Amino acid sequence: VVEWRRIVARPIEGFSNFHHWRFEDISERRRMEKAMRDEQNKLLDFMAHAPVGIYSLDQHGRFLFVNKTLAEWLQVTPEELVKGAVRLHDVLSESPKGVPVHFIASGSHGEERGEVVMRRRDGKLFPVAITQTVVRSEDGKTLRTRSIVRDLSPERDWQQALSVSEYRFQRLFAEAPIGIVLLDGKFTVMECNHAFHAVIRRPQSGIVGSELAQLNEQKDRSALTAKLK
């Protein structure tokens, strides 16, 4: 068993030849940190290889993040999309006219959802359904999207593909190894997963509908609310 110690040595004021040494056993903390990293890596790996494409854009339509699933559909690497000059409308068969570059399509719901056709590197086309939310900065000058891409290729039954993707994405939320909560604009818990239940150790009726800050100790509530804002 590997054990860890944190050692701190400080000079003692007024005694130039003496130092104060402190030894702290941090083995348990290191084990907890490793366990947390392992769980986070599992979640990141699941996101990268999720059965749906995932990406995020900035206000210029440039890719901030692309998972491996979507990159493979497009026959590129995530790095080529994130670090290159490719934008969302460049990988669509037809660029929607007269809409912001982060919009999926024209129409009243073009920013949020739509069915479009993407182009692979070899020129082949495939239909997809995209759903996204847009997160804007407080000054309104910058934004980023949270976008989910479902493959609607003819070789798969459209309805079956949609239901399987939704089911698996629900499992990502429900069975993730870290706690996840969905909050409204007032930081009230609208939904939470099993891992969050395990952390809070309260029945769902005691979590959903409560402000997230109220689930923390009194001394931490102001700081948490400030961070959420």
Side-chain angles (χ1 to χ4, degrees), residues 61-80:
R62 294 181 298 224
F63 289 97
L64 300 173
F65 169 81
V66 178
N67 76 336
K68 290 184 178 180
T69 300
L70 178 58
E72 289 175 357
W73 290 348
L74 296 171
Q75 298 177 331
V76 296
T77 64
E79 291 74 19
E80 287 179 276

Side-chain angles (χ1 to χ4, degrees), residues 38-43 172-180 193 195:
D38 291 344
E39 290 181 348
Q40 290 172 349
N41 288 335
K42 289 177 184 178
L43 181 59
L172 168 65
F173 176 84
E175 300 178 8
I178 59 174
I180 303 176
N193 68 346

Side-chain angles (χ1 to χ4, degrees), residues 150-198:
R150 301 183 181 94
D151 186 1
L152 302 179
S153 299
E155 64 265 24
R156 300 188 307 179
D157 178 82
W158 189 89
Q159 290 294 339
Q160 181 180 0
L162 180 61
S163 62
V164 169
S165 296
E166 289 180 340
Y167 170 70
R168 290 179 176 173
F169 212 74
Q170 288 170 358
R171 285 186 59 189
L172 168 65
F173 176 84
E175 300 178 8
I178 59 174
I180 303 176
V181 294
L182 177 66
L183 307 178
D184 64 13
K186 296 181 179 180
F187 311 130
T188 299
V189 178
M190 301 173 64
E191 191 174 352
C192 63
N193 68 346
H194 298 313
F196 190 75
H197 272 290

Side-chain angles (χ1 to χ4, degrees), residues 131-146:
T131 303
Q132 72 180 20
T133 57
V134 177
V135 181
R136 302 179 187 274
S137 62
E138 292 184 0
D139 58 13
K141 294 181 180 180
T142 61
L143 60 82
R144 57 187 173 87
T145 71
R146 298 169 180 158

